[in-house]
Amino acid sequence: MQSMRVIADLGRQFDIPGVAQVVEGSGGLPKVRITSPQAVAEMYLHGAHVTSWKPTGAKEALFLSSKSRFEDGRAIRGGVPVCFPWFGDKAGDSKAPAHGFVRTKAWRIESIAQAADAITVSMFSESDEITRQWWPADFRLVNRATFGRELSLALVVTNTGTTPLRFEEALHAYYRVGSIEPARVRGLGGVHYLDKTDSNREKAQEGDIVIVSETDRVYLNTEAEVELKDPVFARRISVGKHNSRTTVVWNPWTEKARALSDLGDDEWKQMICIECSNVSDFAVILAPGQQHTMNTTVQVRPM
Ligand code: TA6
C-alpha cells in the first residue's frame, strides 16, 4: 500500500502524459516507463538502473536476467548497473559490497523532461550517514538517461565536501546478443588490458575480441568507441564514450554463470558487458566543489 502511494505521488510530480510514467515494477519497486515514438524503455529508482531500451524498429538492446532480484540491498542483474565509488571489491575491506553501494539502494527522481524526440530522466543519490560508514566522503551523484533513437547516459559526480575525492566508476552495461560465440567486439585492437582471469596480468589486445571462455578484462587508457557485431541478430551496437579512460569487457561463460544465483545457467550465451568506466589507475580525483561527468552513447544499427 505504502509503495503505491509513493508511486502515485511521484507520478503526480513527474509523469509526462503519454510518454513517461512512474509505475510499479518487479518486486514492487518504482520504475519510470518510457513509451515514445522513438523508443520504449525502463529505469528503476533502485540503483537509478536502466533495465530496458528498445529503439523503434529494433530488438531490445539490453540484457536482463530472468533470475534477477528486485529488492533493496541487492543489485539488479542486467541492464546498466551504476558502480560507484569503487569497482569490484573494495581494497582492504572484504565486507564492503562489490561495485560500491549505490546500485543496491533507492535513488530519487530529479526530473523527467521531453526534448524533441527524446525523453531525459535524471535521478540522484547523495552521501548520508550510511554511505559515510563505507566511504567517509560527501558527494552528489546524478545518473541522467536520455532515451530516443540513441541511448545516452551521463554519470555526474559532484564533490560536496571539503577534501579531494578519489573514486572509481562504471556504467556496467549488459548488452543482449543473439549468441555470444559468433559475436565480435571491435575497436580495442592494440589496447593493453588487465586480465582478471589471469591474476590481472597485463596483455595487449590483438584484433577483435572473441569470447571463447570466461572473459573479464579492464582495457586501459582508452577512449575508443567500440562496436559489438552480432551476426545472429544481424545488428551492430556501437558504444561511444567521453571522459572515460577504461573499458571493461565481461562474459562469465559456463562456470561463473552457474555460480551466480541471479543468472540463468545458459543466459551467459545471450549477454556481454561493455562498461565505460574509470577504474584501477584511472580512478578520478575530484577537488572540493568540482564536478566530473562520464558519458556514454549507444546506437543500434542493422549489419
Ligand atoms: O565487470 C566485470 C565484473 O567486475 C566481474 O569481475 C564480475 O564479477 C562482474 O563484474 C559482476 O559482478 P557482480 O558483483 O554484479 O556479480
Side-chain angles (χ1 to χ4, degrees), residues 2-302:
Q2 164 63 12
S3 73
M4 289 314 290
R5 200 170 306 127
V6 168
I7 288 168
D9 289 348
L10 288 170
R12 268 189 293 281
Q13 233 182 310
F14 295 108
D15 281 7
I16 303 179
V19 291
Q21 215 187 349
V22 181
V23 296
E24 184 179 5
S26 301
L29 299 176
K31 67 181 179 184
V32 178
R33 186 171 54 206
I34 305 292
T35 46
S36 82
Q38 279 64 39
V40 292
E42 293 186 352
M43 185 175 183
Y44 279 76
L45 277 69
H46 182 76
H49 201 128
V50 174
T51 51
S52 167
W53 171 62
K54 186 176 176 298
T56 304
K59 289 185 176 50
E60 171 62 52
L62 301 175
F63 166 84
L64 183 63
S65 166
S66 63
K67 293 195 169 175
S68 178
R69 299 206 175 77
F70 289 85
E71 57 190 88
D72 195 40
R74 306 299 295 263
I76 294 171
R77 176 70 66 194
V80 189
V82 176
C83 306
F84 176 90
W86 56 83
F87 185 79
D89 297 331
K90 184 183 178 194
D93 187 351
S94 58
K95 289 199 181 65
H99 292 322
F101 46 70
V102 297
R103 65 176 181 160
T104 54
K105 58 183 276 189
W107 294 43
R108 293 165 60 196
I109 300 177
E110 181 178 69
S111 64
I112 304 181
Q114 182 171 19
D117 295 344
I119 312 293
T120 299
V121 180
S122 293
M123 295 184 183
F124 70 97
S125 186
E126 291 169 320
S127 46
D128 58 28
E129 62 282 354
I130 296 170
T131 65
R132 287 189 204 99
Q133 287 167 26
W134 291 117
W135 196 53
D138 288 310
F139 64 89
R140 187 171 199 273
L141 197 55
V142 173
N143 191 17
R144 189 176 301 127
T146 300
F147 304 99
R149 282 194 193 81
E150 299 177 343
L151 169 66
S152 72
L153 299 170
L155 189 62
V156 186
V157 183
T158 306
N159 179 348
T160 57
T162 55
T163 54
L165 287 185
R166 179 186 182 281
F167 63 89
E168 296 177 299
E169 57 183 352
L171 291 164
H172 192 306
Y174 289 71
Y175 295 102
R176 188 163 167 252
V177 290
S179 168
I180 192 64
E181 273 122 339
R184 300 285 180 269
V185 178
R186 178 159 293 177
L188 293 168
V191 177
H192 283 230
Y193 63 92
L194 302 177
D195 186 345
K196 278 177 85 172
T197 68
D198 187 9
S199 316
N200 272 329
R201 203 161 274 127
E202 185 166 336
K203 303 174 181 175
Q205 179 63 40
E206 289 172 23
D208 293 353
I209 300 171
V210 184
I211 307 292
V212 292
S213 60
E214 181 190 354
T215 301
D216 195 352
R217 302 173 181 176
V218 178
Y219 287 85
L220 304 167
N221 200 14
T222 174
E223 300 209 38
E225 173 169 314
V226 304
E227 187 174 72
L228 169 60
K229 302 189 81 163
D230 178 353
V232 173
F233 278 172
R235 69 178 182 185
R236 297 170 288 147
I237 296 182
S238 63
V239 182
K241 59 179 193 160
H242 180 68
N243 258 354
S244 156
R245 302 275 302 283
T246 55
T247 298
V248 177
V249 175
W250 180 58
N251 182 282
W253 207 250
T254 47
E255 294 311 308
K256 195 40 109 26
R258 211 165 285 134
L260 293 170
S261 60
D262 60 352
L263 183 66
D265 284 355
D266 288 337
E267 287 190 310
W268 59 272
K269 297 176 182 168
Q270 284 125 34
M271 57 147 283
I272 184 169
C273 290
I274 300 173
E275 311 164 31
C276 78
S277 51
N278 286 300
V279 304
S280 187
D281 293 347
F282 296 88
V284 177
I285 309 287
L286 197 58
Q290 296 301 302
Q291 194 170 74
H292 177 276
T293 302
M294 178 176 73
N295 301 81
T296 187
T297 302
V298 186
Q299 293 174 321
V300 177
R301 295 190 198 91

